[in-house]
Amino acid sequence: MPVFWQRSAYALGKLVFVLPLLWHFGVERRPLPRLSRSAAGLMSGLAFGLFVSAGMLLLYFAGLRGTPPFLAASEAVRDKLLGLGLSAPAPYAAFGVFVSLVHSALEEYYWRWFVFGRLRDYLAFIPAAATGSLAFMAHHVIVLGVYFGWGSPAQVVFSLCVAAGGFVWCYIYHRSGSLLGPWLSHGLVDAAIFAVGYDLAIAA
């Protein structure tokens, strides 16, 4: 598929981030509340983000690099990057910065503020966070299946890790009332993923 169409499909898929606005203005018919810019939760987000990122990089470079699941994934990642026109270091790095800074913020706004926030209006914290985190995981299961194989141990384990991360980010947001901590944490994890992706598909 040409690069233009792959990029267009990716952009259209992100229209889901418009749903909270449609919900507020079309269903609830009220203005968006101001999102807290409090620094509360920043240290928790930083600590969790650094812990997960360091663990990912250590696990990959010390044990998983060159194993069959990751060798197979490297081909799939390389093909995807080629289709999106991101197979050179510069555009890949630029896309990584965008995902780590902007896309992570949009995901936190959608999954933690909107999905978890609405669930919390009707449920206690644990069922609201568990439901929101499983939905967040489901969003990633498809991607992991494409790169690691459907039903593979890697897909299952990494999907559960996504759910666990989503639960922690719900907790940080719940306790702090601010998305800044989860956003910082999420961005650090995304940056580590792109570092692994660079080794898999660009540097290889």
Side-chain angles (χ1 to χ4, degrees):
M1 183 184 294
V3 171
F4 171 79
W5 292 113
Q6 291 205 42
R7 289 181 174 176
S8 298
Y10 176 84
L12 287 173
K14 301 309 171 183
L15 288 177
V16 67
F17 294 129
V18 179
L19 289 178
L21 300 176
L22 296 177
W23 179 268
H24 270 274
F25 294 123
V27 178
E28 295 184 338
R29 299 183 182 278
R30 61 177 180 173
L32 285 171
R34 294 182 61 185
L35 299 184
S36 171
R37 293 175 292 178
S38 168
L42 272 178
M43 292 306 298
S44 297
L46 176 63
F48 182 68
L50 289 175
F51 174 77
V52 172
S53 299
M56 287 171 53
L57 295 173
L58 179 63
L59 185 62
Y60 171 72
F61 285 103
L64 296 177
R65 188 186 193 193
T67 59
F70 279 83
L71 288 175
S74 68
E75 294 298 324
V77 173
R78 193 175 294 113
D79 289 343
K80 185 63 175 179
L81 293 176
L82 186 64
L84 290 171
L86 300 172
S87 57
Y92 180 84
F95 185 64
V97 170
F98 167 79
V99 171
S100 299
L101 292 179
V102 179
H103 191 266
S104 63
L106 291 174
E107 285 204 317
E108 288 307 307
Y109 144 80
Y110 183 84
W111 291 106
R112 252 56 70 184
W113 178 75
F114 179 63
V115 175
F116 166 66
R118 292 300 162 276
L119 288 169
R120 194 178 50 182
D121 289 340
Y122 304 99
L123 301 172
F125 167 75
I126 290 181
T131 303
S133 299
L134 289 173
F136 178 61
M137 178 194 75
H139 167 64
H140 293 80
V141 165
I142 297 174
V143 175
L144 290 168
V146 169
Y147 295 129
F148 291 101
W150 293 96
S152 68
Q155 183 197 29
V156 173
V157 171
F158 294 150
S159 294
L160 292 176
C161 288
V162 169
F167 191 93
V168 173
W169 292 330
C170 286
Y171 177 77
I172 295 173
Y173 173 53
H174 176 73
R175 289 297 300 268
S176 68
S178 172
L179 286 176
L180 291 180
W183 176 28
L184 173 60
S185 185
H186 195 153
L188 289 170
V189 173
D190 280 352
I193 292 173
F194 270 85
V196 171
Y198 182 87
D199 185 76
L200 276 176
I202 306 294

